[in-house]
Every structure is written in C-alpha cells, then in structure tokens.
Amino acid sequence: MKSKLLYRPLSRRQALQAVLAGASTPLTSLAASATAETPALPPVAEWVLSTSQGSLTVTPLGSRAMRVRFLPPQAATQAPPASLTLLPGLASPSMKQTQGAGLTTLELPAIRCEVDHDTAALRFFDGHGKLLLAEVPGSRRLAPSRLGDEPVHVAEQAFESPAGERLYGTGCFQDGAMDLRGLPRRLTQVNTQISLPFMLSSRGYGLLWHNDGMAELNPPGQQVALNRAGSDGKAELVDVTTTAGNAQVERKGVRFEGVFRTETAGRFAFLLDVGRAMGSRHSVEIDGKSCVEMANHWLPPTVGFVVELPAGEHRVRVQADEQDKPSLHFGPARERTTWRSPVAEAVDYVVIAGPSADEVFEGYREISGAAPMMPRWAYGYMHCRERFHSSQEIVDTLREFRRRKLPVDVMVQDWQYWGRHGWNAMRFDEDHYPDPAALMREVHGLNGRFMLSVWARIGRDTELGRATAAAGHYIDGTDWVDFFDPKAAAFYWDNQRERLLKLGIDAWWQDATEPENDDLVGRRTAAGRGERVRLAYPFHVTRTVYEGQRQARPNQRVMILTRSAFPGQQRHAAATWSGDIGNDWDTLKRQIPAGLNMAAAGYPYWTVDAGGFFRPGDGQYTDKAYHERLIRWFQYATFLPLQRVHGYMTDTEFWRYGDAVEKVARQYLELRYRLLPYLYSLAHEVHAKGAPIMRPLVFDFPDDPQALDQAHSYLFGRALHVAPVVAPGVSTWPVYLPQSAGGWVDFWTGERRAGGRVHEVASPQERIPLHLRAGSILPLGPVLQSTAEATGEVIDLAIVPGRDGSFDLYEDGGLDYAYEQGGFSVIRLSWDDRRGLLSLSSRQGRFEGMLKTRRFRLHRVGSGQPPLQSAPLKELVYTGRATQVRLA
C-alpha cells in the first residue's frame, strides 16, 4: 500500500498473528491446507480484528444489516458514541462465524460478510449468495488531521462499482442527476439541498455512511487553476429571502477561465465550488460546450457533473457572481464509489441487504425506526403563500375555497406574523391577529387545519431572545438555538408549547433547520465544534418538537414540515420540501430526480413549492406562459406525498390566475381527494414496512436497464406510473413504461399499452401522463372538500386486469395514536386474473368509530372504461366477512 495510514496487506500468517495478539474475538488457527475449512466457530454478537493500524469491527444490526467500524489503535477499546440514526438500545443478534482458507465468514439470515485475511477487505452477499458490495482492497483510510486545536481524522472508504450498477440517494440535490455512479457530491445542509448519506444500489443493497459531519461522495483529486477574466455587465437587483426577512441584493456576473489537461480519453468527474455559503449560478463550459447551467436566487455552493473528454488540453469557463471565489476539481470517473468524511473519529458505515428495495427499506426501518402516521388531513391539500398578513385574510381565503368548492385541508401561515414583537418571538402581532385562539377555532369550524411557521432562530432583540441569551441557549455568534444542548431544546419547546401549541395550532413549519447557510461551520455547539455535527442540526430540532408535542398532546398526531433532514429523522413525523426554488421548466424538471433520490435515501415524506417559490412577480396572474408552468407544477404535486403550493410575495390562490387555471386545479384537487383511500393505505405501508410512497423505478424494475435510466418518471405507490410534463407547448409526451406482465392502462382513456417501450402519450394541458399497472387494485373515494368529510361508506375499486394482484386497504381514526396500540383495520383485496375473481378477506383489527358495513363499487378498467368515468360492474355490501366476486 502507498500510505502507512492505509490498512496494510497482510499474509495469512501475519493476519493470524495480529488477531491472536489483540483480537477480542480471535480466530482459531488456519488449517494447513489452503482449501480446507475448519468447523464453524461459536456465534458472535461482534467481530473484531485488531492490528497496529487500527481496530476493525463488524457488528450485526437486525436480520439483514451489518455495521462496520475502523478506529485508530488508541480508540480501539472505546464504545461507539450514541447514534442519532440507529435506534437506541438496538439489540445485536448473533452472527454465525466460519473460518476458511484465507477468509472469515460472518453470517446473518439475509446478509453475509467475508473478511479477506490478506487485505482485511470486506465483501457482502445477500441471503442467496449473490455478491452485493465489495470494498476496494487497501482503500480504507483513517488519516490524522486537525480541527483547530482538536485532533480528528479524515475517514475514507472506496467500494467497487461494477459496470451496469446504478446508485441512487443522498437526498435532495438540484443538479438534476438520478444515477449517482461516479458523480461527485459534497453533502452539506443548505437551502434547496438536503443531505442524507444513504445510497441504494440496483444490485440490491443500501449503504449508510454513518457520520454526523459533512461527507464527500467521489471527491475528485485534481484542481483546475481559475483566473478572473472579466465582468459580464451591469449589476442586477434581485428580491430574495434572508434570515432577516425579505431583502434586495445586488448581483453582478463575472467570468473565470482556466486550462487543464487529460492524459487519456474517457469520463471525467467535476465538482464546482462557488466559494461561498450559498450560490446563485452554476455555469461551467468546457471547450465551449455547456456542462452545467442553472441559476436561482439561492443555489447550493457546490455542484457535480460528469463529462466525456478526449485526451489533451481543455479550456474551461466559469460564469459566476462577483462575490464568488470559484474552484473546480476534477478527476477520472472510476469504477468505484468513494465516501469521505474530513472530520471523523472512525470509518463507519452500515450495509443493508435486499435483494429488493422493499427489503432494504424494511431493514433500514428495523434499525433506524418507523415513520409515524401523519394525521389524515396532511394527505389533503395544503395551501400556502408568502404570506398571509392577518387573521381576516386567512379566514376569508378559506371561505373562498369553500365557496368555489375547491378542496383544501390546511391553511399555512408563513413567517413575520410576529410583526412588532420581533423575529420568531412566538407571538402573533395583535394589530393583525387580535385573537389567535379564535382564529384557530374559526379555521376548525370551516373543516380546516392550521400550520404555523416557527424558526430555530430567535431574534436576540426580542423578549424571548433576551431570555434565551440569558440562559445561554444560543450557538455562539448566531441567533440559532443550540438544540444539541438538551436544556436549550427543552427551553425552546416550553415556549413553543405555552405560547403557540395551547392556541390550538395543528402543525408546525420548522423552517431553515439546516441551519441556514451551513452556519455551524466554525461555531461551537454543546456537541462540540460545528463541523463534527454539521449535518445533524435538523434532527435535533424536529426531535424536540415531536417529542414535546407527544408528551403535551398524547392523542394529537404531530405533523412537521421542515427544510432539512438527517437519517433517522423520519421518526419525528417530519416532512421536507425542496426549499426556495425557481419556477422555470428546468427547475421543475430537476425536482423529479431530487424527490426520487430522497425516497431512495429512505426518507418517505418530501414535496415542493408547486409553482416555484420565486415567481414572476405581478405579471404572473396574466402570464399565459406561467399559467402553463403552474398547471404542470401542480399536476406533479398531486402525486407527491404532500400536495401544496407556495410562492414568494404572491397570493397563490388558483382563482387569481383565471378560469383555465382554476378549472385544472379543481380537477387535480378532486383527484387527490378521491385517491385518499389509496394514499392513506400507502402511508401505513410507510409506517409498517418503511417503503416510501414515491417509488423510483429501480424499486420495482431492477432488471429493466431502460427503466433504471428514467429520471423523470416514477411509481406513486405500486399502482400508478407518473410521468410529469416538463416542457412547454406539447400535446404529447414520450413515456417509457417498464417491462411488466400484462402491461399498462392509460388512467384517462383506458387504452392498454405494452411495457418495455416508449409511447407518445396524449398530454393536453389538462392531462398528466398517468398509467395503471396491470394487476392493480386502486381504491377511490368520493370527491371531498376536506378530509373531515371522509366517511369511507362508499369506495370504488378499480381493478386492472392482465395479471394477479393485491392491495391492503388500511383505515384508522386518522387523528390520534391508537394505531400504535393496534387501533386500525386492514382488508386484504386480491385479484385472480385467470378466474376474474376479486376476493375480499375478513377484516383484521378494529378501531373506535370504525364502520361495520360499507359499499364497494367494482370497476374493471380497460378500453373505454377509465376508472373516473366508468360505471361500476357490480356493487356489494361488505360487513367484515370474507367474500368473493366474479367480474365478467
């Protein structure tokens, strides 16, 4: 090996000697024959190999997951610190241990790890013996470093990535990438970027890079020298949001240029860093060809991309903001995946074996915890704008929704309602909100719910801020509450409970929980230097609110919307969204892989500001081009875990855009509410099994290479294939339907289409391409004006013939936590395609208020029989007993 810090290759004799010298679980003697195997060793709850370079530990987690840690020698006996991601008190099962010629094998029911005695490299297999993941021998690195006056380590591990593998995950990024194989990414928490160090492979495994600090994926090793080459014109004033409120900032474009050389032709990976906490433009040309081009009022500071280049000299141009100090890193895109943490105590990662994505996420749920059921109203429509200015505006707007019969459940009050009391004072300005508790009662009386924006930042000049400072609860040099300190977190929640929860508020918009602008860098927190916990701040904020409300209101489900996330945070009923994005077609297009990679990172609840946060100003209300974009944005939002709009300095109500927009919005609002029985059942699957509602096609079609490359279509649950339109002026849209027995049926027309090919699908402005998979059973309810009207008395079942299928119809009380103690019911619906037979199982479970009988109306979907227009073939009264119905 090249570095003394690398895990040195050892002979089998040296490996054995090292183990016998220091392993807490020593290996027995190797057999004299290179091929002979000794008998199996006693099962172990932890396997350790200690050498002069460090201590390698493999720990079983659950039935299909293993944790790997490599620590420096001086830390070998230290217990691992408490993990945020992994459940506390997680019991370690025993692993079967076998020693063979040059290998030690550690085995759980669904995963097997092989340790090579010569290199100490690990390989992981699923329960069927298929190779899932292999370390690159010699790539394990734990190099001493410094963080100010503190000793730390740079932790790095590379894994082989064979041709044909696709990798997904790492959270919500704005680079538009779906497959991350070979792509550089720097995982930081900033507005519009959510970093979750978890990846899902098409080969059937998940990998969690287990570190609370910033992580780097595939970091390139070389740098292009950039020189400032000139200005790009006049300065521009733009309206933005800041931690101090709405503001105008001046931006002026500049140009940087450089030259670099590649010795061979091939694929090269690049990472642009604008050199500031946030950017406004990502623009790189190489040899006159645009490689990345996007602009927004806020962008993450880094962006990665991969391009094909010939051997030789190349000229690069970077367009930037005058305040930027860009750097461009590059290197060959290799057949490996490398994870690096520049501030770490150990190489630390978890492998979860599938082979299916559902099994991976079931394993992830087992070790990191379940996402709670959101309240039923959270799956309806959430109406937001920046911003309502008074109680009267909120009530008048809700009444207008009801008058126009536009379904809505949640009214959202964005920031600055605190007015004269100061930033996030946790008080309403009485001049505009004279009686907040009465406002809640009025909203509830109109079958609505109320969400309120509350920040983790409290102005120091407020009455609450002075109390926060006096108690020492701020992160030094900031207005951010130090949620790493349990006393500070308790202080924060005590005030949110007493000042706000008691008013009757239903949901929390915990904004800017990154914290904004990656603001922990260079700070000290109660958990140490900010760089050590740089990704984990949002976890502590949402845990504080979730656990606080569970204690204060044990029978009221928590619902949090927050702008950032960390692995394990799904336990806090915390949904996320993609931040302060623009409204253009390219931004819409980029949100689709951003959301799918949130799902692939194991985070089930994510959404967008439909219509874009930064909008075209006053002209938006009459701009037909924007109206088309708004319609396409909202169609997409209908098939997200949460449906909402938002808009900067905008009255976002649909009727303000004219009759055409309102008509299409009504169509998709009504469809969303009709889908409630389906969506709520999917939500229970999220809770019970960990499978996200948005399903990248790798989840269900891992053996279809063309499906694996689809970045802008997905399954919503297992029944609905969604392909949002992301370009203007089209009447048809190309849709690849994956290979699937029985094919697919157009949701709008009933036309049957084959899988495994691209179809030009009619897509007039009012229609998003939507297909039902053969074998699906889609439960639909009636059109509602809010989820408060949902009774479940009548449900239409749309059966799609072509193959066998099933669906579990789930119900509970919708608002409380009785489901955690078994207060729910499930009806298994099964379709036998050959016999044309629908079976309804006997109902399992019960809950308070459950209907004893209900009517199911049965539809057979096909040509001329789309589910929304067809008349039922049969109707039956279900009393909870098993029954069967044959459909012609």
Side-chain angles (χ1 to χ4, degrees), residues 1-62:
M1 297 298 166
K2 295 180 180 180
S3 169
K4 291 187 294 184
L5 296 169
L6 296 175
Y7 203 108
R8 296 173 181 168
L10 306 174
S11 69
R12 281 179 287 168
R13 175 175 291 183
Q14 289 170 325
L16 175 61
Q17 290 172 341
V19 170
L20 293 176
S24 61
T25 308
L27 299 173
T28 57
S29 299
L30 291 171
S33 165
T35 58
E37 289 195 1
T38 60
L41 302 174
V44 290
E46 186 173 79
W47 185 89
V48 183
L49 173 65
S50 298
T51 73
S52 59
Q53 284 75 44
S55 176
L56 177 66
T57 305
V58 181
T59 306
L61 302 173

Side-chain angles (χ1 to χ4, degrees), residues 121-122 134-140 157-161 335-337:
L122 308 180
E135 293 182 343
V136 175
S139 67
R140 188 182 300 128
Q157 180 67 65
F159 302 91
E160 295 175 0
S161 182
E335 302 286 300
R336 59 174 61 182
T337 300

Side-chain angles (χ1 to χ4, degrees), residues 750-805:
E751 179 182 350
R752 188 170 293 274
R753 297 189 173 104
R757 53 168 290 199
V758 175
H759 299 265
E760 284 293 329
V761 177
S763 306
Q765 194 170 113
E766 69 276 7
R767 189 185 299 174
I768 185 174
L770 191 61
H771 289 82
L772 282 162
R773 191 179 182 184
S776 297
I777 303 172
L778 181 70
L780 296 167
V783 172
L784 307 170
Q785 294 306 303
S786 82
T787 58
E789 298 176 356
T791 64
E793 292 178 2
V794 179
I795 291 182
D796 291 276
L797 297 179
I799 297 102
V800 188
R803 67 170 191 156
D804 293 346

Side-chain angles (χ1 to χ4, degrees), residues 492-539:
Y492 180 96
W493 172 250
D494 286 347
N495 280 278
Q496 188 164 333
R497 180 191 65 226
E498 290 304 309
R499 294 167 180 255
L500 297 174
L501 178 67
K502 70 179 184 181
L503 299 175
I505 292 166
D506 302 287
W508 308 108
W509 186 353
Q510 301 292 153
D511 206 350
T513 52
E514 298 85 5
E516 192 154 75
N517 300 331
D518 200 14
D519 208 15
L520 295 184
V521 177
R523 313 286 188 189
R524 286 194 175 273
T525 75
R529 288 184 179 266
E531 287 85 347
R532 293 182 180 272
V533 290
R534 194 167 166 183
L535 299 185
Y537 188 80
F539 179 99

